[in-house]
């Protein structure tokens, strides 16, 4: 048999035996232990805030949290970061995104990440999100203010879980997706032809299967802001657009922001986000003010 014919036969056999590649939980949830934040440095950088650290007990783990408090706050934002997020490394960046808004904000290291203890898993992180939310609702200093939950990337699933099981005053989903199944198809579409021939389907396995914010947004009744970077290749804007379309709320109660020239990690660090946040806060805070 000629070499060219042999090669064609091998490629054909490979294509015909193409498989499904399963995205495992440990491909997505990757713990990153790190020290606690440098409070002295943060206080020097952010004098407008009273910054306090605490630990939140959560089913055998202690979650490290920082509270950034200001006297003129009209709401509190609970922020869940993405897979690469630790409070010590990115607190100042988070503060920059909210610097112009009259809000307190609370940052929490995921279980097994940063200065939090415990073993990270998707189910544990989702459960912990509800625990953290409940703790803030019970906090006498914060309980009188509207509470908004902001989740970025992996953290958007935690924010979505809280929205599905608790009453929120507002929800911000940044760099989120409809489902892990849709995201797997997107990741496959980005590969070269030969790789797509070898792997005909990318599917989530275990705890990832069926996870996503499509069903969450279909039942939302609180104001929601969807945010994505125009140049985000990990979770492109079409996911935010699909979630926006699936949300059964009128204009004003749902908002979509695609930030020009921003990517997966920096859409909220933009003047466009700060402007959209101002309008979103007015909608989220209005019911409490009226009451």
């Amino acid at each position: 048999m000629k070499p060219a014919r042999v090669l064609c036969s091998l490629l054909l056999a490979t294509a015909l035996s193409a498989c499904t590649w399963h995205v495992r939980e440990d491909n997505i949830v990757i713990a990153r232990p790190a020290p606690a934040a440098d409070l002295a440095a943060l206080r020097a950088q952010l004098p407008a805030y009273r910054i306090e650290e605490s630990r939140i007990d959560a089913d055998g783990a202690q979650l490290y949290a920082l509270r950034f408090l200001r006297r003129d706050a009209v709401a509190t934002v609970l922020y869940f970061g993405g897979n690469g997020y630790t409070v010590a490394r990115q607190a100042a960046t988070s503060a920059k995104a909210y610097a112009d808004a009259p809000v307190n904000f609370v940052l929490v290291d995921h279980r097994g990440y940063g200065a939090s203890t415990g073993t990270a898993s998707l189910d544990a992180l989702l459960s912990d999100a509800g625990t953290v939310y409940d703790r803030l609702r019970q906090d006498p200093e914060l309980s009188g203010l509207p509470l908004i939950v902001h989740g970025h990337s992996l953290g958007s699933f935690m924010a979505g879980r809280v929205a599905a099981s608790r009453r929120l005053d507002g929800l911000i989903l940044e760099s989120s997706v409809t489902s892990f199944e849709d995201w797997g198809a997107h990741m496959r579409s980005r590969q070269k032809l030969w790789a797509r021939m070898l792997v005909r389907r990318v599917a989530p396995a275990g705890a990832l299967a069926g996870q996503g914010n499509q069903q969450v947004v279909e039942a939302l009744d609180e104001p929601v802001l969807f945010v994505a970077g125009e140049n985000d290749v990990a979770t492109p804007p079409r996911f935010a657009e699909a979630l926006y379309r699936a949300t059964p709320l009128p204009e004003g109660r749902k908002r979509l922001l695609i930030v020009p020239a921003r990517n997966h990690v920096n859409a909220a660090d933009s003047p466009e986000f700060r402007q959209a946040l101002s309008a979103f806060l007015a909608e989220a805070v209005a019911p409490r003010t009226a009451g």
Side-chain angles (χ1 to χ4, degrees), residues 195-206:
R196 297 200 304 274
M197 291 178 65
L198 289 174
V199 178
R200 291 298 181 91
R201 181 169 173 262
V202 176

Side-chain angles (χ1 to χ4, degrees), residues 200-221:
R200 291 298 181 91
R201 181 169 173 262
V202 176
L208 300 184
Q211 293 288 349
N213 276 320
Q214 178 77 28
Q215 293 183 334
V216 170
V217 301
E218 290 173 352
L220 282 181
D221 58 4

Side-chain angles (χ1 to χ4, degrees), residues 18-281:
C19 64
T20 296
W21 187 72
H22 292 283
V23 182
R24 303 188 313 273
E25 187 174 357
D26 59 6
N27 299 135
I28 302 297
V29 180
I30 306 170
R32 291 173 169 80
D38 183 339
L39 291 186
L42 284 175
R43 286 166 176 157
Q45 285 180 271
L46 305 165
Y49 295 98
R50 174 163 53 95
I51 305 174
E52 302 174 346
E53 64 180 357
S54 64
R55 299 275 178 175
I56 298 173
D57 293 325
D59 192 22
Q62 284 202 324
L63 307 181
Y64 177 74
L66 277 188
R67 305 195 316 171
F68 293 73
L69 308 174
R70 50 190 290 172
R71 293 181 180 180
D72 62 342
V74 299
T76 298
V77 175
L78 169 59
Y79 181 85
F80 295 112
N83 184 44
Y85 192 94
T86 63
V87 171
R89 189 162 63 110
Q90 289 160 298
T93 300
S94 298
K96 183 180 177 183
Y98 281 98
D100 296 337
V103 297
N104 305 314
F105 63 97
V106 180
L107 309 177
V108 183
D109 276 329
H110 306 319
R111 173 188 297 253
Y113 288 65
S116 290
T117 65
T119 301
S121 72
L122 183 61
D123 285 342
L125 267 58
L126 293 172
S127 176
D128 290 346
T131 299
V132 173
Y133 175 89
D134 292 341
R135 175 65 66 87
L136 296 190
R137 281 295 197 197
Q138 297 162 6
D139 188 311
E141 189 166 10
L142 303 177
S143 60
L145 294 174
L147 182 51
I148 296 164
V149 177
H150 180 168
H152 169 254
S153 194
L154 176 64
S156 74
F157 298 106
M158 287 162 245
R161 174 61 65 89
V162 174
S165 60
R166 307 291 197 276
R167 179 191 172 278
L168 306 186
D169 295 290
L171 175 66
I172 302 174
L173 295 178
E174 179 188 355
S175 303
S176 189
V177 298
T178 49
S179 69
F180 270 117
E181 285 78 6
D182 289 346
W183 180 77
H186 161 68
M187 293 305 291
R188 179 184 176 277
S189 73
R190 295 185 58 214
Q191 306 309 308
K192 295 183 183 298
L193 176 60
W194 66 266
R196 297 200 304 274
M197 291 178 65
L198 289 174
V199 178
R200 291 298 181 91
R201 181 169 173 262
V202 176
L208 300 184
Q211 293 288 349
N213 276 320
Q214 178 77 28
Q215 293 183 334
V216 170
V217 301
E218 290 173 352
L220 282 181
D221 58 4
E222 57 264 80
V224 58
L225 171 62
F226 299 101
V227 181
E230 178 186 37
N231 298 334
D232 186 347
V233 295
T235 56
R238 66 180 179 82
F239 286 116
E241 292 164 352
L243 291 170
Y244 175 83
R245 290 193 300 269
T247 304
L249 291 173
E251 295 293 330
R253 297 276 290 171
K254 65 175 182 178
R255 300 170 187 271
L256 174 65
L257 173 66
I258 308 300
V259 185
R262 299 289 173 156
N263 57 38
H264 185 69
V265 298
N266 62 6
D269 184 13
S270 66
E272 291 86 354
F273 174 75
R274 289 187 279 276
Q275 182 177 357
L277 178 64
S278 178
F280 177 73
L281 277 175

